[in-house]
Amino acid sequence: MDLADGFLDAARLVASELVTNALRHAPGPCRLELTLVDDGVEIAVSDTGEGFPTFLSRDPLRVGRHGLEIVTRLCDEVITKPHATGKTVYARLPLR
């Protein structure tokens, strides 16, 4: 696997995890935006939910619910910003 393949796999995984969280935890529609930045891509998912993503305590026996852990491991920065109709989660994935 070359660098481009690894980056694309990571970008797909991050986008999938963020969209899945939005669909699972927010009552309305969501929006996915990908923005090229100098050293990678910013993946932004907006939804209508009021709650912010939260980390669960470490539990190696837990099945599932590891999406946010995966996203933060792959990305340089993950931030959540509220807006009038919900929130947007921004994840910056570096090209490595």
Side-chain angles (χ1 to χ4, degrees), residues 6-63:
F7 177 78
L8 290 174
D9 288 344
R12 287 182 191 115
L13 180 56
V14 169
S16 174
E17 291 294 340
L18 294 178
V19 169
T20 298
N21 285 346
L23 293 174
R24 183 172 287 156
H25 300 291
C30 69
R31 181 180 66 209
L32 169 67
E33 288 186 61
L34 305 173
T35 305
L36 293 174
V37 293
D38 294 336
D39 58 346
V41 66
E42 181 179 82
I43 301 167
V45 175
S46 301
D47 66 46
T48 57
E50 293 180 10
F52 276 38
T54 57
F55 281 99
L56 299 175
S57 59
R58 183 180 164 100
D59 180 359
L61 300 178
R62 184 177 68 238
V63 176

